[in-house]
Amino acid sequence: MRRKSLILTFVIIIFSFAIVNRLFISRLPICGKLSSNTPSLSTLTWKDNHDELWKIPEWVERYNVTHLFDWTWHKNGDYKRCRPPIIRLPQTTTCSAGSTIVVNNALEFFRSHPEHGCVVDDIARLPNLIPHPLPRTRSLSDTCSELNIKRDWILCNKPQVELDRWLPTTTRLLTVAIFNAYVDTGHCHPDVPGTIFTEYATYHLQRWTNRWCNNDPIRQIPTIDAQNQHSELIDTIGNYLSAPGHFGPQQLPRLLRLLATAPTTAKVLVAKGGVADGLIDILVDRGVVTRDRIVPYEKQNSSYHYAHIVYRSEAWPYLNDASNSHYVHDRTDMQLVHRVLAADKQGSDTKRNLVILIKRKIGATRSIIEHSHIAVFIESALSKSKLANDLHLAIFEAHGHMREHIDLFRRARIIVGPHGAGMMNILWAPPGTHVVEVGYTDGMRFPDMYAEMSLHLDHHYWICKGYGNYAKPIHIDMEDFTFIFNEIIYEIENAK
């Protein structure tokens, strides 16, 4: 009875919010026409020498990722035409756009409406390995059942021969330029900012939230502070902003795609805080972006941004079916991130001599209660193996700068850890690394994100059974872990 009452209360609150929101927007004045002018190259800060401007960035060739882009508007000459036919200034008072549409298929829309924007890059995703690799376990069926993921993980419930078209379900990576556009602060979900909208259309290029408003138009046109008005702006922000499990595998690939294909004259809107700051430091160090282009976006002080041209990149096509919305952790994206931030450092002199055990803070969510037992077992198993002089245990507690994290994980031969932010660092581990993720049984479903990331990075990905709640410390099944670790040691010994 109490549960039904809570559900009813929740529904009433959501319905009331929707009504109030609609009433508020309906009371706003309709946006009027503002002064405009035909654009010039100087207005948009473009240079006369387009060969210099549109040259493939040097870092793209240096890190060997040229093949991960189509260079669409370079090949078809659209970079000469992709500019607003009319430059509009942002509205001076908050108003309602009135009649507006939702765009899901930007490829089709810009073919018929070139006055609103253009396609910058359109590339087919890298093909997955065939047959698509599966997670390794003592028994996949048993492990999937015990961790309650048999119905939810495609890796658990689809035939192996079908996995290629499911992980992901999208087929292309699309980068677009949208004219006279705003960047939203999270109209549907406060943790999912970044939607681009104009007075004519809202561009939902991918489904980033399952809330009822996920594909609604944005009709309220905000006023824009002067410091948030730009000529050109790269929009990279997305769900959960600087959270490690989301920035690294989801926003960072978008950022790299945009930095590779959009003009160097564009400012870059990027999440601030957490791992985002450290990774931006590294991109600056490695010549991928200059510090003066960065426009930090903070959730606590979120503001709308406006630009004459806003650039955005997403997986295509738009997936409306929530149960089939596998559009993240694409093999192309994972390879792009790894090559740019870690792969070039892995020369012949790099020693892959570490067994990295990820340790979450004692008492923290999903910290492994038997952590010390795992460490003792690993050291004992190594000392008894033929690898005693070749592999050494390292405990990772996320101290230091991201540079140190990358340097550590690129030396990994084996990585062991519970589901959580520390597992993001598998992005830096080279192909062939054994990755053991410890699952759990209760609370929020054990996500498959690190499984997909690891498999697309050509790791040997293992699931180890764990027990407990997502929001609390968990237990590891030591019998299961012992089997897995001994199997890994055996394989490494016999591969030498």
Side-chain angles (χ1 to χ4, degrees), residues 61 77 152 222 245:
E61 298 177 340
D152 296 306

Side-chain angles (χ1 to χ4, degrees), residues 290-471:
T290 54
R291 185 80 62 185
D292 61 305
R293 296 178 64 191
I294 301 299
V295 178
Y297 181 94
E298 298 181 79
K299 180 181 177 181
Q300 294 77 9
N301 300 301
S302 59
S303 299
Y304 292 96
H305 286 258
Y306 178 88
H308 300 312
I309 303 180
V310 179
Y311 300 93
R312 182 76 176 183
S313 187
E314 295 286 7
W316 184 95
Y318 175 86
L319 301 177
N320 190 47
D321 182 358
S323 63
N324 296 328
S325 295
H326 289 264
Y327 46 82
V328 290
H329 316 132
D330 178 278
R331 183 177 178 83
T332 311
D333 279 349
M334 298 303 99
Q335 297 285 335
L336 174 62
V337 169
H338 180 77
R339 284 173 180 252
V340 174
L341 279 89
D344 73 305
K345 294 184 177 183
Q346 286 153 353
S348 57
D349 58 340
T350 300
K351 289 186 178 180
R352 294 182 54 204
N353 61 350
L354 296 180
V355 177
I356 299 176
L357 175 58
I358 298 172
K359 181 181 181 181
R360 293 173 71 86
K361 187 177 179 181
I362 295 175
T365 59
R366 300 178 308 287
S367 58
I368 299 177
I369 295 168
E370 298 83 7
H371 171 85
S372 59
H373 298 301
I374 299 173
V376 169
F377 169 77
I378 289 174
E379 290 191 318
S380 174
L382 291 177
S383 68
K384 296 174 184 176
S385 73
K386 301 175 185 177
L387 306 172
N389 297 320
D390 300 323
L391 294 180
H392 309 282
L393 177 64
I395 306 297
F396 176 73
E397 298 184 73
H399 299 316
H401 194 276
M402 281 299 302
R403 296 184 189 91
E404 299 168 54
H405 301 182
I406 292 175
D407 287 342
L408 182 75
F409 278 82
R410 70 186 182 88
R411 293 169 52 203
R413 196 70 181 269
I414 305 170
I415 300 169
V416 179
H419 177 82
M423 291 296 288
M424 181 206 74
N425 292 286
I426 65 174
L427 282 166
W428 328 128
T433 302
H434 289 267
V435 175
V436 184
E437 183 175 14
V438 182
Y440 56 90
T441 52
D442 303 313
M444 189 184 86
R445 175 181 63 80
F446 176 32
D448 53 5
M449 56 188 298
Y450 296 119
E452 294 178 15
M453 289 167 57
S454 184
L455 293 173
H456 286 318
L457 287 164
D458 300 330
H459 298 156
H460 303 288
Y461 173 82
W462 299 76
I463 309 174
C464 179
K465 296 175 189 175
Y467 304 98
N469 192 289
Y470 169 85

Side-chain angles (χ1 to χ4, degrees), residues 16-38:
S16 300
F17 173 79
I19 295 296
V20 170
N21 189 51
R22 285 186 176 276
L23 286 173
F24 173 74
I25 293 176
S26 67
R27 294 174 67 91
L28 289 174
I30 300 297
C31 297
K33 291 185 177 180
L34 291 171
S35 59
S36 59
N37 60 282
T38 55

Side-chain angles (χ1 to χ4, degrees), residues 49-300:
N49 185 352
H50 67 260
D51 289 332
E52 178 183 350
L53 184 62
W54 303 120
K55 183 180 178 182
I56 294 176
E58 185 273 337
W59 64 266
V60 172
E61 298 177 340
R62 185 191 332 144
Y63 300 129
N64 193 25
V65 293
T66 308
H67 64 293
L68 301 181
F69 303 92
D70 178 67
W71 312 108
T72 305
W73 71 347
H74 297 251
K75 295 191 299 186
N76 63 20
D78 266 1
Y79 65 83
K80 298 178 182 178
R81 299 186 291 273
C82 188
R83 61 196 64 175
I86 295 177
I87 288 181
R88 300 188 184 281
L89 299 174
Q91 293 287 340
T92 55
T93 59
T94 302
C95 57
S96 173
S99 177
T100 184
I101 65 170
V102 171
V103 174
N104 295 142
N105 189 341
L107 270 177
E108 181 179 317
F109 181 75
F110 289 135
R111 288 193 189 109
S112 56
H113 297 81
E115 71 276 15
H116 290 287
C118 67
V119 174
V120 174
D121 203 59
D122 173 24
I123 181 71
R125 66 171 172 85
L126 286 178
N128 292 332
L129 298 179
I130 297 178
H132 193 290
L134 292 170
R136 300 182 64 183
T137 63
R138 291 177 75 182
S139 165
L140 184 59
S141 177
D142 177 61
T143 299
C144 290
S145 294
E146 289 204 30
L147 295 179
N148 301 313
I149 55 176
K150 197 172 186 69
R151 288 195 310 169
D152 296 306
W153 279 38
I154 284 178
L155 288 162
C156 290
N157 62 42
K158 296 290 183 186
Q160 188 174 14
V161 294
E162 295 182 13
L163 290 178
D164 172 62
R165 64 185 181 88
W166 283 98
L167 297 173
T169 319
T170 51
T171 58
R172 310 189 72 80
L173 294 165
L174 182 68
T175 301
V176 297
I178 301 170
F179 302 151
N180 299 310
Y182 299 81
V183 179
D184 174 53
T185 59
H187 77 288
C188 182
H189 191 304
D191 290 316
V192 188
T195 300
I196 299 175
F197 64 102
T198 68
E199 294 175 31
Y200 180 81
T202 300
Y203 295 83
H204 290 296
L205 305 182
Q206 199 46 263
R207 182 191 182 103
W208 283 104
T209 173
N210 290 328
R211 287 194 175 181
W212 57 272
C213 50
N214 72 83
N215 204 30
D216 283 0
I218 300 175
R219 292 191 173 89
Q220 181 178 331
I221 305 300
T223 56
I224 305 295
D225 295 336
Q227 68 269 23
N228 295 335
Q229 299 179 28
H230 315 274
S231 292
E232 301 169 275
L233 182 67
I234 287 174
D235 169 25
T236 74
I237 61 174
N239 56 326
Y240 296 98
L241 293 169
S242 61
H246 295 276
F247 186 85
Q250 295 167 11
Q251 292 173 63
L252 183 56
R254 178 189 296 132
L255 171 61
L256 292 174
R257 292 199 302 267
L258 287 161
L259 289 174
T261 55
T264 56
T265 46
K267 295 291 186 179
V268 186
L269 186 64
V270 66
K272 178 177 175 56
V275 300
D277 291 349
L279 289 169
I280 293 299
D281 288 343
I282 294 169
L283 293 182
V284 172
D285 292 346
R286 295 169 73 74
V288 177
V289 66
T290 54
R291 185 80 62 185
D292 61 305
R293 296 178 64 191
I294 301 299
V295 178
Y297 181 94
E298 298 181 79
K299 180 181 177 181
Q300 294 77 9

